[in-house]
Amino acid sequence: MNDPVRDPAALRTQLGALTTEEFRPDLADIDTRPTLDIARAMNAGDRAVPDAVAAQLPRIAAAVDAIAPRMARGGRLVYAGAGTAGRLGVLDASECPPTFNADPSQVVGLIAGGPDALVRSVEGAEDSADLAHGDLKALGLTPDDTVVGVSASGRTPYAVGAVRYARDAGALTVGLACNADSELAAAADLAIEVVVGPEFISGSTRLKAGTAQKLVLNMISTITMIRLGKTYGNLMVDVRATNAKLRARSHRIVAQATGAADEEIARALEATGGEVKHAILVLLAGVDAPTAARLLVEHHGHLRAALAAAAP
């Protein structure tokens, strides 16, 4: 069988079979239309993305339910992709520490070509499965880790190679693609294929496919963090207050959770070193800061469980 990476004709044939590479004849004159008409046409196409994601919700939920207990045991969530897919993984991973006070090593984004590829193309990086193997080998994968390969086409050698290496290492693997019956899905333990159809600009998968990937990655990380006790209801009670805006947000979160007066909130936050979850427990359970800290440790950071334990 011809290797599409080394055989241009084979690669053209492979790409020609992908939904994300299809040409839309109805947009063939798009460059001649008024700007507002172009915007309307683009927006109309984008409306298909949420429905495509909705069709995959059971698979997304299954992935989260498999990932969360592994992370509770100390496992990591690792995204691996190239180009737009890789950048979206790095973005999602980088937003977990400030949002959920997650350790930076807990959610990891790998992009083919390394950090330089975040801002410029690194020639040939996406075509190398060996590069993915090296990047993952450096992490020392364990069975509690999860590797999510992300690729719009579902054929990118870096993403497929990452999933195959991770599966051989005993880690849980998830394949996120935007084409049906993809090579990436076949290689992974769990498959999420969000088929968004042809792009507004043919083959430009930073558009609908990129939007779909962003939505799914948001779900995977956010719902996993909910399962790990990083929220109280829909409040970011593990937010890391590293600037004035986040300190103000911390105060507001404590107020929304407790209904306490500003002065009481300020005292609770000061006593707990600015820890929102601890301050809520101090105010709602009437315990001191050290007791709040102990209860949260005993209940693995789950505020509802700590509150129940503190109840008379």
Side-chain angles (χ1 to χ4, degrees):
M1 182 176 179
N2 292 334
D3 180 356
V5 172
R6 296 181 175 85
D7 184 338
L11 180 57
R12 288 194 297 272
T13 299
Q14 190 180 70
L15 292 179
L18 299 178
T19 303
T20 50
E21 296 290 328
E22 288 180 7
F23 172 69
R24 288 183 57 184
D26 60 307
L27 297 176
D29 66 343
I30 197 70
D31 56 323
T32 70
R33 301 183 195 178
T35 300
L36 181 56
D37 287 354
I38 297 174
R40 284 176 174 149
M42 191 170 182
N43 179 245
D46 288 343
R47 292 175 189 159
V49 175
D51 287 342
V53 172
Q56 292 295 301
L57 290 179
R59 292 174 177 268
I60 295 167
V64 170
D65 285 340
I67 293 166
R70 287 170 168 80
M71 293 189 75
R73 295 193 295 265
R76 295 162 294 181
L77 173 59
V78 181
Y79 300 131
T84 296
R87 293 182 187 102
L88 289 169
V90 172
L91 173 63
D92 197 75
S94 67
E95 290 179 340
C96 287
T99 305
F100 301 111
N101 202 16
D103 187 281
S105 66
Q106 195 173 20
V107 185
V108 179
L110 298 178
I111 181 170
D116 286 349
L118 290 171
V119 293
R120 61 177 61 87
S121 176
V122 176
E123 292 297 328
E126 76 168 49
D127 293 332
S128 176
D130 289 341
L131 187 58
H133 298 171
D135 289 345
L136 287 171
K137 185 177 181 179
L139 293 180
L141 292 178
T142 76
D144 283 333
D145 292 326
T146 301
V147 173
V148 181
V150 189
S151 165
S153 66
R155 57 150 301 275
T156 306
Y158 182 89
V160 176
V163 162
R164 287 178 174 157
Y165 178 91
R167 195 168 184 178
D168 287 345
L172 175 70
T173 57
V174 180
L176 171 56
C178 293
N179 283 282
D181 304 317
S182 66
E183 184 181 359
L184 180 60
D189 297 304
L190 301 171
I192 301 169
E193 293 181 312
V194 186
V195 182
V196 295
E199 294 287 2
F200 184 74
I201 301 297
S202 294
S204 182
T205 52
R206 71 181 185 88
L207 301 176
K208 287 195 298 183
T211 300
Q213 290 166 353
K214 177 70 164 65
L215 291 175
V216 174
L217 294 179
N218 280 352
M219 286 186 178
I220 290 174
S221 60
T222 301
I223 303 173
T224 297
M225 291 298 169
I226 290 171
R227 286 285 167 257
L228 294 175
K230 294 290 188 177
T231 68
Y232 178 62
N234 64 341
L235 296 175
M236 291 190 297
V237 290
D238 259 347
V239 65
R240 181 180 297 168
T242 55
N243 57 41
K245 180 190 78 173
L246 292 177
R247 285 190 291 274
R249 179 176 292 162
S250 295
H251 189 107
R252 282 175 49 80
I253 290 170
V254 177
Q256 289 164 335
T258 67
D262 285 345
E263 296 79 6
E264 291 179 284
I265 294 169
R267 285 195 296 269
L269 284 168
E270 183 176 2
T272 58
E275 295 284 352
V276 170
K277 192 180 285 184
H278 297 61
I280 292 171
L281 190 52
V282 164
L283 291 167
L284 291 183
V287 299
D288 59 20
T291 301
R294 175 180 60 79
L295 286 167
L296 285 165
V297 168
E298 289 175 354
H299 293 87
H300 309 290
H302 289 261
L303 180 54
R304 286 193 190 276
L307 283 165

